[in-house]
Amino acid sequence: AVPGAPVPEMVTVKIVVDPPQRAHVFWGVKDLGPAPLEIRRPRGSGPVDLILRAPGYLTVHTRAFTERDYRLAFKMVPETEAARMFGYHPRELPRQLPHQGR
């Protein structure tokens, strides 16, 4: 950045995914489209919680901030390799509660 230069009002967040095929970026329920993707937001407009989904891969949750331009790169992990990931816990099915009042 050049000292004294005007600061742009918008920032760009670039999202790159490996492997790139079939990965979609979601902001809540809104599908922003397939990666690679650029999101333009007003500078300082607050964080954007994003979800990256691809068939056969673990879902990725991330937060993008809007203070400056930057690039987020993700390596999608196949579901078959999930047990190797630090902190991974298989989903537990909800237990059925005994019915009260029977």
Side-chain angles (χ1 to χ4, degrees):
V2 178
V7 177
E9 292 180 22
M10 301 293 284
V11 296
T12 302
V13 177
K14 295 179 184 179
I15 300 168
V16 180
V17 177
D18 177 37
Q21 67 275 11
R22 300 174 294 166
H24 273 249
V25 180
F26 291 84
W27 183 13
V29 296
K30 183 177 181 182
D31 186 347
L32 299 178
L37 179 71
E38 289 187 4
I39 300 171
R40 302 228 350 115
R41 300 286 304 150
R43 182 177 302 278
S45 60
V48 179
D49 291 323
L50 302 172
I51 301 170
L52 287 75
R53 291 190 178 125
Y57 290 87
L58 295 178
T59 299
V60 175
H61 296 260
T62 190
R63 178 169 281 177
F65 295 94
T66 58
E67 301 305 317
R68 62 179 174 88
D69 292 343
Y70 63 100
R71 180 179 186 258
L72 297 171
F74 299 94
K75 170 88 170 125
M76 300 297 284
V77 176
E79 290 174 344
T80 56
E81 295 179 22
R84 296 181 177 180
M85 299 301 299
F86 178 74
Y88 174 77
H89 297 286
R91 276 192 186 166
E92 292 183 18
L93 296 175
R95 294 183 210 169
Q96 290 185 347
L97 298 175
H99 294 291
Q100 294 178 347
R102 279 193 171 187

